[in-house]
Amino acid sequence: MSTAVYSLDSRNIVYSFAPSHPPALSVPDGALVHIETCDCFENQIQREDQDFGTLDWSRINPATGPIHVQGAAPGDLLAVHILDLQLAKRGIMTTGPHLGVMGAHLSENAIRFVEIDQGEVVLPGGVRAPLRPMIGVIGVAPAAGAIPCGTPGDHGGNMDCTRITAGAVLLLPVAVPGALFALGDLHAAMGDGEVGVSGVEIAGRVTVRLEVLRDVRCPAPMVVSEDDVSIIASAPTLDEAAELATKRAAEWLSAASHLHLADACMLLSAVGRLRICQVVDPLKTARMEIDRDLLRQLRVPLPV
């Protein structure tokens, strides 16, 4: 496995995940990569009183990449070891008519700058909350076609899952040679659901190690964290996303532990945590969290 270190700056961006994008960088299996990102508005917002009409909405949710991972082939998994997230000193939040859950009740657009101060975000009203960096858009190219960066799916994309943060490993299914990996849309903090259509949107730099896994059978996208594992699913409705995440988790748990499917369902019903990732993107996203202690008791192997 490579120990080489590579860098990719935010001038190398795409607005979709697609096999047709030429790689901005090619790295060996196991490479360490520093990836610089814009915020989700591609750094277009400079003032709180800026007119939304001045924004180029075709430039929303850019992802830095794509990165070709040498040796990755369809059927493999790409393990994205998220080692570090460094953030800019100020973030942005927005909401308004037709945006987010409350969009029908808002009469005008609002922009708020959010300062980062001593490990906290300073939110509207002067409320201070812990800094919780996470990655909103992260994924690989699908087998065919182009999926906008703002849309989540089995390839990853705009899953807006708060578990995708430093210390976690994200597993993504490789569909094209080289995987064509990209990421962006960092948040200094974001609540589950992202109900107002934005978290604390911010530019930054992410350090990842990209590892190719072969002959591994587990649902993906999957996040492996220190204490738990999250199986992620996206679908047209939140009900469908929740059902799909649960189905994938139950079937994997049953197969990996040799439990009857009914017993796997009972375990999830007793101790699983079905959570909302986001409800504001073209597809909705949910996750099923399972404690790693339960997996250890069942002798379920994890690939990372």
Side-chain angles (χ1 to χ4, degrees), residues 28-304:
D29 181 6
L32 197 73
V33 190
H34 302 302
I35 304 171
E36 183 183 89
T37 71
C38 306
D39 67 30
C40 77
F41 300 103
E42 203 180 318
N43 304 335
Q44 294 183 77
I45 296 179
Q46 299 299 317
R47 308 186 319 275
E48 287 190 339
D49 62 353
Q50 186 167 336
D51 183 351
F52 267 36
T54 65
L55 299 181
D56 182 349
W57 291 96
S58 68
R59 294 165 57 192
I60 301 301
N61 279 323
T64 304
I67 298 171
H68 176 277
V69 184
Q70 297 159 20
D76 294 339
L77 290 178
L78 182 67
V80 183
H81 299 256
I82 304 168
L83 304 179
D84 186 52
L85 277 79
Q86 296 293 322
L87 304 178
K89 295 182 179 180
R90 186 174 71 178
I92 298 170
M93 296 196 76
T94 64
T95 193
H98 313 298
L99 297 175
V101 175
M102 294 295 293
H105 305 280
L106 297 172
S107 59
E108 58 185 22
N109 296 317
I111 297 172
R112 302 286 186 266
F113 288 140
V114 176
E115 302 299 328
I116 311 301
D117 181 51
Q118 298 181 356
E120 295 180 317
V121 290
V122 185
L123 298 167
V127 172
R128 301 178 72 96
L131 191 68
R132 292 197 173 102
M134 50 82 66
I135 304 169
V137 171
I138 183 167
V140 293
I147 302 176
C149 287
T151 300
D154 288 351
H155 71 293
N158 197 19
M159 296 179 289
D160 279 322
C161 174
T162 56
R163 307 300 289 162
I164 302 176
T165 187
V169 183
L170 173 64
L171 304 181
L172 294 165
V174 177
V176 300
L180 297 182
F181 170 78
L183 65 79
D185 185 33
L186 305 188
H187 302 92
M190 195 197 84
D192 280 334
E194 199 185 24
V195 296
V197 88
S198 72
V200 180
E201 311 294 335
I202 198 164
R205 190 183 80 161
V206 183
T207 300
V208 299
R209 183 165 64 83
L210 301 175
E211 178 188 8
V212 179
L213 303 180
R214 300 177 176 87
D215 301 319
V216 173
R217 297 291 176 263
C218 65
M222 172 191 279
V223 183
V224 180
S225 300
E226 181 179 359
D227 297 321
D228 55 36
V229 170
S230 299
I231 292 90
I232 302 173
S234 299
T237 70
L238 186 56
D239 282 353
E240 291 171 294
E243 182 176 338
L244 184 57
T246 303
K247 178 176 182 291
R248 288 176 173 175
E251 291 178 344
W252 170 65
L253 196 58
S254 174
S257 65
H258 307 292
L259 283 175
H260 191 284
L261 183 59
D263 294 315
C265 292
M266 290 178 192
L267 282 175
L268 292 180
S269 193
V271 296
R273 295 184 298 275
L274 183 60
R275 299 279 172 86
I276 297 170
C277 294
Q278 60 76 29
V279 294
V280 295
D281 295 334
L283 299 179
K284 316 306 179 190
T285 307
R287 67 184 183 271
M288 174 61 80
E289 297 176 358
I290 307 171
D291 285 339
R292 290 185 65 166
D293 178 64
L294 183 149
L295 299 177
R296 282 190 287 268
Q297 291 182 56
L298 293 172
R299 295 183 174 83
V300 172
L302 292 174
V304 291

Side-chain angles (χ1 to χ4, degrees), residues 13-32:
I13 56 176
V14 291
Y15 302 99
S16 64
F17 291 91
S20 59
H21 290 317
L25 179 68
S26 181
V27 303
D29 181 6
L32 197 73

